[in-house]
Amino acid sequence: MPRALLQACATVAALALIPVGTSAIAQVDSDSYRELDQFMDVYNLVKSKYVDPVDNKVLVRGAIDGMLAALDPHSSYEDGADYENLKIQTEGKYGGLGLSITMEDGIVKVVTPQKDTPAWRAGIKSGDYITHVDGKFVYGLTRDEAVGQLRGKPGSKVTLTVARKGQDKPIQLTLTREDITIKPVTWDVRGDIGVISINTFSEGTGRYTREAVAGIRKQLGHAPLGYIIDLRDNGGGLLNEAVAVSDAFMERGEIVSQRGRDKGDIQRFYAQSGDATLGAPLVVLINAGTASASEIVAGALQDQHRAIVVGERSFGKGSVQSLLQLGPRTDVRLTTARYYTPSGRSVQEGGIDPDVPVPQLSDADYRSRPVVREDDLRRHLLNSAKATDRIVEDDGKPDPRFAATAPDLKAKRIDDYQLYYALQTLARLGGPTQVAAIARLGAPNPGRADLAPAATPAPADAPKP
């Protein structure tokens, strides 16, 4: 069986030890061979007529990459370098900046920075473009080449030029690479409320989540008023860990279904008896960076009426990728199924809509800053059953609850408005004393910088207008 991977971008993956046999090749219909003849015609023309000699491996790799890129944004060819990247991610440690990136028309685009990493502390945000690394224009690279330039020995410095929509000038930052340890789960206590931040769905995330619940209860010495499950900027990971995390907060019921190419190819996953929180109130935080495996958790807890979902519409990746082994260090990452929430919803394109939409008011540029979602990616899978009533529900009038500005909130020690909103929501269960306690604590977010544009001379190798 393949190991199912649910992630918005290729930063974490799992190996599926499935050799591709001759039976799969035999199913290719005869018309395909005529198309292959046309491919060979082009191949021979390039080999004989191109201005410079071209290595066969370059042409074949380019053809494979192009074929898979024509399918969807998440199918790709994984060779030796990718294998090493997978190993780094499964071991949970590498030298770098803590960025998840994707490639858009040859440009490096930030999907999300990992919390408490150099990139996060410097203020890099989802939707930013990295145009230069150490003064060199980066364009037309593969994902692995871009990752290779950003990673490096801990303690080494790298200078990035960042472009952000809505700002006229580029932003230049010098960051020091660190040992990036991927901590799948962290937790904290605010007042009588437990806050569990799930950063990725790697091996053991379900177990760490249950340990976080136990740790919060132990620190308080009693049951908390409730728990906040923070899934913001969590790009996904392993399907089985998304099921395990959902199961930690559910006593019974379906979590997710996975549906393949054939109508009868349906696999359903259910919660086992034993809610780790004993039915405590839950608030789930999501945003545009909440993707794939994270959306499974949010969708399951929302559909089963187990949690209130707060924040912004999620990324909208409703597909499952499997790694199919071609050789000892070669795999094809292929989209093999779609997944559906317990009510039968597909989040593909549309994402998860929060029960309570709450903008991140503490970000001064939250209105103008672009976000990256699945439906922004080229050749994304279409949702044939897509239906929405957002336009009907939205009357276009500003919500008076969200009139505060970022400076107003900062004066009250609120650097993370969405978290503060969730804390106040649960604090009301404890009465005025808890509400006042949360108001005093605020929601500080220490160590994060606000990026300011700085005029940067164009490097010598930048393209001429």
Side-chain angles (χ1 to χ4, degrees):
M1 291 294 290
R3 294 193 64 188
L5 171 69
L6 299 117
Q7 185 133 17
C9 57
T11 56
V12 177
L15 295 177
L17 304 178
I18 303 180
V20 178
T22 55
S23 60
I25 299 174
Q27 294 175 10
V28 178
D29 57 74
S30 58
D31 289 342
S32 300
Y33 291 107
R34 284 192 286 271
E35 301 296 335
L36 290 174
D37 287 340
Q38 187 176 11
F39 165 76
M40 287 305 301
D41 290 341
V42 175
Y43 175 86
N44 290 325
L45 280 174
V46 172
K47 287 289 292 182
S48 62
K49 302 293 185 182
Y50 188 68
V51 64
D52 294 319
V54 185
D55 186 87
N56 290 335
K57 291 181 180 179
V58 172
L59 293 179
V60 172
R61 175 61 191 262
I64 293 172
D65 286 342
M67 175 172 58
L68 293 172
L71 300 176
D72 63 71
H74 310 293
S75 295
S76 62
Y77 182 74
E78 311 285 352
D79 63 4
D82 295 308
Y83 181 87
E84 292 302 319
N85 286 335
L86 299 182
K87 184 178 178 182
I88 287 172
Q89 294 297 334
T90 54
E91 289 177 352
K93 194 174 183 179
Y94 64 94
L97 304 175
L99 279 173
S100 295
I101 63 169
T102 187
M103 305 305 295
E104 182 178 279
D105 295 330
I107 302 174
V108 180
K109 191 171 191 176
V110 175
V111 174
T112 182
Q114 182 183 327
K115 187 175 180 181
D116 199 25
T117 61
W120 181 84
R121 289 192 294 270
I124 295 176
K125 296 179 181 179
S126 172
D128 287 344
Y129 295 90
I130 298 174
T131 61
H132 298 76
V133 176
D134 287 332
K136 294 181 179 179
F137 185 61
V138 287
Y139 175 77
L141 303 180
T142 66
R143 185 190 67 247
D144 292 328
E145 289 171 337
V147 168
Q149 292 201 21
L150 296 171
R151 285 182 182 165
K153 186 178 179 180
S156 62
K157 293 185 181 297
V158 61
T159 299
L160 305 182
T161 303
V162 177
R164 177 176 294 171
K165 288 184 179 179
Q167 295 191 0
D168 296 332
K169 296 180 180 179
I171 303 156
Q172 193 170 46
L173 300 166
T174 299
L175 292 80
T176 301
R177 297 182 179 97
E178 296 178 1
D179 276 324
I180 305 298
T181 300
I182 303 172
K183 299 178 181 177
V185 180
T186 58
W187 61 270
D188 191 13
V189 172
R190 306 284 181 94
D192 276 353
I193 299 166
V195 180
I196 301 173
S197 297
I198 302 176
N199 305 308
T200 187
F201 289 87
S202 56
E203 291 289 350
T205 300
R207 172 168 54 86
Y208 294 137
T209 299
R210 288 183 178 271
E211 290 176 358
V213 171
I216 289 167
R217 189 181 181 96
K218 182 178 180 180
Q219 180 170 320
L220 285 173
H222 56 78
L225 287 174
Y227 297 86
I228 295 171
I229 308 166
D230 191 348
L231 296 176
R232 293 174 298 173
D233 296 325
N234 182 328
L238 300 174
L239 171 62
N240 62 307
E241 294 298 338
V243 171
V245 168
S246 303
D247 191 13
F249 301 105
M250 292 172 57
E251 185 65 32
R252 64 181 65 85
E254 183 176 313
I255 294 171
V256 66
S257 61
Q258 176 180 305
R259 309 181 191 184
R261 181 172 180 171
D262 299 327
K263 290 184 178 180
D265 185 10
I266 301 176
Q267 187 176 7
R268 299 183 185 276
F269 300 85
Y270 296 90
Q272 305 297 313
S273 178
D275 179 348
T277 68
L278 304 177
L282 303 177
V283 172
V284 174
L285 284 175
I286 64 172
N287 65 4
T290 301
S292 207
S294 300
E295 291 171 294
I296 284 181
V297 176
L301 298 181
Q302 184 181 57
D303 279 5
Q304 298 291 0
H305 306 289
R306 182 63 188 89
I308 297 173
V309 178
V310 171
E312 300 161 293
R313 179 167 67 91
S314 64
F315 185 84
K317 179 180 175 292
S319 60
V320 180
Q321 282 69 48
S322 299
L323 287 182
L324 309 174
Q325 188 179 24
L326 292 177
R329 292 168 58 83
T330 306
D331 306 279
V332 172
R333 186 177 57 173
L334 197 65
T335 300
T336 54
R338 289 179 169 88
Y339 70 80
Y340 295 81
T341 68
S343 66
R345 289 185 294 165
S346 169
V347 305
Q348 182 63 25
E349 292 187 281
I352 299 287
D353 284 318
D355 299 307
V356 184
V358 177
Q360 185 62 309
L361 300 180
S362 46
D363 282 352
D365 59 350
Y366 83 93
R367 291 185 185 276
S368 59
R369 177 166 54 87
V371 295
V372 184
R373 289 190 172 94
E374 175 80 2
D375 53 6
D376 296 317
L377 303 181
R378 286 188 174 185
R379 299 187 180 90
H380 62 271
L381 293 180
L382 299 179
N383 187 342
S384 57
K386 185 176 181 181
T388 179
D389 55 1
R390 285 194 200 103
I391 296 177
V392 176
E393 292 179 348
D394 185 4
D395 60 8
K397 297 179 181 178
D399 192 325
R401 295 175 300 168
F402 305 133
T405 64
D408 294 338
L409 296 170
K410 195 170 186 65
K412 298 178 182 179
R413 301 184 72 246
I414 301 172
D415 298 325
D416 187 339
Y417 181 74
Q418 291 173 329
L419 175 59
Y420 182 76
Y421 190 100
L423 287 166
Q424 285 285 24
T425 299
L426 287 175
R428 293 187 183 95
L429 299 175
T433 302
Q434 279 294 314
V435 171
I438 294 299
R440 287 194 302 272
L441 289 171
N445 202 6
R448 174 111 186 183
D450 292 323
L451 278 179
T456 306
D461 58 349
K464 297 294 188 286

